[in-house]
Amino acid sequence: MRIVLTLLLTFVLSHTIFGQVSQSDFPTDWTIYNTFDGVEVEYKYQECNSGAVKNQVLVLFRFSNNSPDHKTLSWTTKHYRAGECYNCANIDSHEYRHEISLSPGEIVEADGTSKEDDNIYLFSSFVNLAKGMPATKLTGFEFININID
């Protein structure tokens, strides 16, 4: 009986520890999200501790206009935390609406040192939590209501 309890406890603890989503589960190299009419959208998760951004993990975006035409991409972003849609109740808020304009061949890339252009990053989580800070992480995102001109 003691062996069974030990095995059961070991299984539960290992599942709890290793079943959690860690930051290493997310891509840290540029990964293609999608291509919209010649505009390639890539993303990566990055721990940011320089410039105006401290103690934060951000999802950084890179937009590449691979077409010979000027493009304006607009979209709304759904945010998922712990697998649940975090912003679905107020998805129509201006806060989640984004737009970027790109000349032919232009690349716009977030580097994690500034949060001035909220079109090119999403907040994921804090690196180190102080008392009272939320421990939730961005577990996914989705571009919806996409328009390209």
Side-chain angles (χ1 to χ4, degrees), residues 3-4 18 25 29 32 44 50-51 53-54 64 67 75 80 83 86-87 89 96 99 103 106 109 111 121 136 139 145:
I3 294 173
V4 171
F18 297 112
D25 293 331
D29 293 322
I32 296 174
K44 68 178 178 178
S50 63
V53 184
K54 304 283 188 208
S64 304
S67 81
W75 70 96
Y80 294 90
Y86 175 78
N87 63 335
Y96 304 112
E99 182 176 283
S103 298
E106 183 177 10
E109 177 180 317
D111 64 6
Y121 77 90
T136 62
T139 56
N145 302 326

Side-chain angles (χ1 to χ4, degrees), residues 9-139:
L9 183 60
T10 303
F11 173 77
V12 170
L13 287 175
S14 67
H15 181 70
T16 302
I17 293 168
F18 297 112
Q20 295 176 349
V21 176
S22 71
Q23 203 58 48
S24 63
D25 293 331
F26 300 109
T28 56
D29 293 322
W30 289 114
T31 303
I32 296 174
Y33 171 69
N34 208 332
T35 301
F36 305 101
D37 195 27
V39 176
E40 183 176 82
V41 180
E42 297 169 276
Y43 72 100
K44 68 178 178 178
Y45 284 71
Q46 181 172 306
E47 187 175 307
C48 302
N49 275 309
S50 63
V53 184
K54 304 283 188 208
N55 189 40
Q56 296 179 29
V57 175
L58 300 179
V59 179
L60 305 180
F61 291 105
R62 177 165 59 191
F63 298 88
S64 304
N65 183 359
N66 299 318
S67 81
D69 303 312
H70 184 271
K71 299 287 183 176
T72 300
L73 178 69
S74 60
W75 70 96
T76 301
T77 308
K78 276 188 178 180
H79 297 214
Y80 294 90
R81 294 190 177 279
E84 301 289 325
C85 185
Y86 175 78
N87 63 335
C88 282
N90 58 346
I91 195 73
D92 294 327
S93 168
H94 180 70
E95 175 182 359
Y96 304 112
R97 190 77 186 143
H98 303 280
E99 182 176 283
I100 192 163
S101 293
L102 300 163
S103 298
E106 183 177 10
I107 298 172
V108 174
E109 177 180 317
D111 64 6
T113 60
S114 170
K115 290 174 72 177
E116 288 181 26
D117 185 353
D118 67 355
N119 295 311
I120 59 175
Y121 77 90
L122 295 176
F123 173 78
S124 175
S125 62
F126 293 103
V127 176
N128 299 305
L129 298 176
K131 188 172 182 150
M133 294 175 83
T136 62
K137 294 180 181 181
L138 188 73
T139 56

